[in-house]
Structure formats: structure tokens, C-alpha cells
Amino acid sequence: MSEHDDQERTEQPSEKRLREAREKGEVPRSRDLSGAVVVLAAVSTLLNGGEGAMQHVRRLYTMGMSYGREALFSDQLPARVLNMALHEALALFAPVAVATMVAALAAPVLLGGLNFSAEALQPKFERLDPIKGLGRIFAMRGLVELGKSLLKLLLIGAVLLMVLKNWQDDLMGTGQGEVGAGMVRAMRLLGHGALLFGSVLALIGGADALYQKFDHNKRLRMTRQELKDEAKESDGNPELKGRIRQLQFQMARKRMMQELPTADVLVTNPSHFAVALRYDEGRMGAPRVIAKGVDELALQIRLVAASHRIPTVEAPPLARALYATTQLDREIPSSLYVAVAQVLAYVFQLKQAVSRGEEPPKAPQPDVDPDLMGPYKF
């Protein structure tokens, strides 16, 4: 990838790119933040259970100084001492082990969330290439990691020197006075020092978490062309979608023209709108629109209807209302029942008059609610 390509990656990653990265196991992770959480969990557990921990330490310390004469000459003494020491050590470190285990599992969730990727577990042999490995070491990310490690070393070293300098008298005082008091003081100093050490790690981990999140987002940035290509891939090519819509329209129009000869009546505007209706009392609950159109399509509908001698009724309000309210091959709404019934009754009377050679009846002009015409009201 060229430097020019990197400079063009100014767009934020899309949801699809972020989702694909998570599927590959590429989520922001911070080892420093995880380490800080583990240390703070261990220190907090030790400080909260300090009294109980002291009892276990005291028993471990005095275990080798409380044997009678018979125990000293018994061949079971080493096994008994080892068993007691293991029990005390387990009771001392079990809470800390559980706390650190839970913290180690929960810490990654704080930054990248819970994520499991089977693809990330697959071996990638290209990582064993020494040349590429040297390239990664001397790449920008490698230099950044080196700088972070040196910075951590300096901060932790400075804190350690500060602790040793300010607590020198207290550390020397742990060896004076009673053994129990010295142990309590030593444990307290150790706990406070570990807490301070953990706090420094937390500061480093927080800063590293922000950097890792920024770096992860930067590596997933996209160019504008990539965004356009992804949009085409997700939504489909606009030209192809337009072609599909055109074919669908042509097929629907062809089916409509094939159904048009079966219409019972054609309601027109008279020139801009044309709606063909069919009603089968035995199969339909209400009259159904089988063809409709405006302008050029309306003209074609009128020509086909005339060639098949379908009765035509000029009722502009009704034609507009039918066009606006009823989809193709759907029954008319109940609000137009009365108006359409008048038209169908006229068609029936017209056929009767023609068959008898009588004068045709007067065409109806049904009343229609203007709101039913929708955008075609005017």
C-alpha cells in the first residue's frame, strides 16, 4: 500500500468493516490496561483480607518452631509440615488467584468488548517469515511500542525510587521491636507500595487504551472510493437496480394489458387518467382495478379498451380517486363503493339498452370526496 493511499484514508470505518474486523478477531486490546486491572484486583484482595492473610503468614512463620521431641524424631514430620504449609499457602493465595483470574478474563472486555473469533485461532504461517518479522519490528508500530516500553520503565522506576526514598525509615523499622508488629508493618508497607504501583500501571493502561482505540480506528479507516464500492456491494449497483425496476415495470405493464380485455368498465378523466375495473360477484368481494395509467399509458389503455368495446365512463373525480387510492390488482376501498356501484349500474343498463335497441341511459357523475384524490385533487 503506497503512502498516497494511506493519506487518502480519511473516512471513518463503516459498520460493515468494523463487523468484519471483529469476525477476524481484530478488536482494540491493551496489555497494559489488562495488567493494571489484574494488579489492582490482586492488591485490593490482599488489602481487604489483610487480617486473615496475616494469620496465615504467622502460622507459616511459626510452623517450624513449634515441634515437640516426639515430632522431631518422627519420620512423618516432613510430610505433615509440607501438608500444613500447602494448606496455609492455598488459603493465603486462593482469593488472590481467583481475583486475578476474574480480572484477567474481564479486563479485555473493558476496551474491545466480548469477542470470540475462530478465524483468529487459525495458524498464519506468514507470521513466521523472519524478513516480515524484522519489518514489523522496525515499522512505526514497533517503534511506538518500544517508546511505550521505555516510558513505562522510566515511570515505574521513578515511582520505585520515590517509594524507597520516602519509606526508608519505615522499611528499616520493620526489623525492630516485636516480630508480630514488624510483620504487620511490613505487610502494610508492601500493600501500600503495591497499590501505588498498581495505580501507576492504571494510568499507563488508561493512556494505552486510548491509544489502542485510536490506532485500531486509524488502521480501519477507508478511502472514499472504498466507501462507494462498499455501498454498491451492500445496496447493489444503482444501474443494475434501475434496469431491474424497468424490467419489472415492463412485465407488470404487459400483464396489465393482457388483463385489460376482461374489464367491465373503463373510468377516464377523460384524457389524463384511465382506470379499468372488473367485478365478479361470485369471486370478488368488491370491484378490482386491473389496469390504470396516466397520460401516454392512459391513452394506450383507452385504445385497447376501445378495440375490445369496453364501456367507457367519463368521471374525472372518480378516475382520480381510483388512481390515487387503489393499487393494481387490488379491490377498491369501501369509501368508493357507492360511486363505483353507480358506474356499474350504468354499464348494465347500457348493455340492456343496446341489446333492445333502446336509447342509452345518461352517464352518471358520481360524487367523490376530494380528499380521496390525494395529490391529484386539482
Side-chain angles (χ1 to χ4, degrees):
M1 185 179 300
S2 65
E3 183 179 357
H4 180 68
D5 292 335
D6 290 336
Q7 293 176 354
E8 290 180 350
R9 296 184 179 276
T10 57
E11 305 300 322
Q12 294 297 322
S14 63
E15 291 296 330
K16 181 175 180 292
R17 192 178 184 97
L18 291 174
R19 183 174 64 255
E20 290 176 348
R22 290 186 65 85
E23 292 174 356
K24 296 177 181 179
E26 298 178 5
V27 292
R29 296 295 189 208
S30 173
R31 290 191 295 269
D32 295 328
L33 180 62
S34 299
V37 173
V38 170
V39 171
L40 289 175
V43 172
S44 301
T45 305
L46 281 175
L47 292 179
N48 290 331
E51 186 64 29
M54 278 300 305
Q55 295 295 332
H56 295 300
V57 172
R58 185 177 289 110
R59 283 195 285 268
L60 283 171
Y61 183 76
T62 59
M63 191 175 296
M65 302 179 182
S66 59
Y67 305 119
R69 183 175 181 278
E70 295 180 357
L72 290 174
F73 287 97
S74 173
D75 56 354
Q76 298 179 353
L77 178 62
R80 184 164 63 88
V81 172
L82 180 60
N83 186 37
M84 293 173 59
L86 288 176
H87 277 82
E88 293 296 334
L90 182 62
L92 174 63
F93 293 109
V96 178
V98 172
T100 53
M101 185 180 301
V102 173
L105 295 175
V109 181
L110 297 177
L111 182 59
L114 187 63
N115 183 59
F116 175 79
S117 173
E119 186 175 348
L121 300 178
Q122 297 177 1
K124 296 182 178 180
F125 298 101
E126 61 269 15
R127 294 180 178 177
L128 302 178
D129 190 344
I131 298 178
K132 291 184 178 180
L134 290 174
R136 286 193 295 267
I137 292 175
F138 293 102
M140 181 58 66
R141 291 190 64 193
L143 296 177
V144 171
E145 293 296 328
L146 177 61
K148 285 165 48 183
S149 300
L150 293 176
L151 181 61
K152 286 187 291 184
L153 180 62
L154 291 175
L155 287 176
I156 295 173
V159 171
L160 181 60
L161 290 176
M162 182 186 68
V163 168
L164 292 176
K165 182 178 180 180
N166 294 334
W167 293 359
Q168 183 177 1
D169 296 337
D170 294 329
L171 290 173
M172 297 300 295
T174 57
Q176 302 174 0
E178 296 182 357
V179 175
M183 291 178 60
V184 171
R185 183 181 301 175
M187 291 295 293
R188 185 180 298 113
L189 290 174
L190 180 61
H192 291 165
L195 184 61
L196 181 60
F197 178 72
S199 300
V200 174
L201 287 180
L203 292 176
I204 296 174
D208 183 64
L210 294 177
Y211 169 76
Q212 294 296 340
K213 195 169 184 179
F214 167 79
D215 184 63
H216 177 73
N217 183 273
K218 182 180 179 181
R219 284 186 285 110
L220 294 181
R221 283 180 183 174
M222 308 170 67
T223 64
R224 293 185 178 180
Q225 185 61 40
E226 286 176 335
L227 284 176
K228 292 179 181 179
D229 294 341
E230 184 179 285
K232 288 183 179 180
E233 182 180 350
S234 301
D235 301 333
N237 192 319
E239 296 179 357
L240 180 59
K241 291 176 65 177
R243 177 60 178 167
I244 293 175
R245 284 195 297 267
Q246 183 181 2
L247 292 175
Q248 290 174 342
F249 175 76
Q250 291 177 354
M251 292 175 63
R253 184 171 176 176
K254 183 178 180 180
R255 287 195 302 268
M256 182 180 71
M257 290 302 182
Q258 291 174 349
E259 291 287 329
L260 183 56
T262 64
D264 294 318
V265 64
L266 182 66
V267 183
T268 63
N269 191 41
S271 58
H272 293 291
F273 290 83
V275 180
L277 299 173
R278 183 175 63 187
Y279 180 54
D280 186 343
E281 185 176 357
R283 301 174 56 186
M284 301 179 185
R288 179 172 296 179
V289 173
I290 63 171
K292 67 175 187 176
V294 295
D295 297 333
E296 294 183 3
L297 184 56
L299 176 60
Q300 294 182 18
I301 292 174
R302 289 197 303 273
L303 292 175
V304 174
S307 65
H308 289 82
R309 298 186 178 182
I310 297 173
T312 301
V313 177
E314 293 185 3
L318 180 58
R320 295 186 181 197
L322 287 170
Y323 188 89
T325 60
T326 312
Q327 295 294 326
L328 193 63
D329 202 28
R330 294 290 186 272
E331 293 182 354
I332 65 173
S334 59
S335 54
L336 294 177
Y337 281 179
V338 175
V340 173
Q342 296 177 21
V343 172
L344 292 177
Y346 162 76
V347 171
F348 177 76
Q349 295 171 4
L350 179 63
K351 290 181 179 180
Q352 291 291 328
V354 171
S355 63
R356 297 173 183 174
E358 299 176 355
E359 184 178 354
K362 185 178 180 180
Q365 293 296 323
D367 293 330
V368 175
D369 186 354
D371 291 336
L372 296 176
M373 303 179 195
Y376 311 109
K377 184 183 301 184
F378 303 104

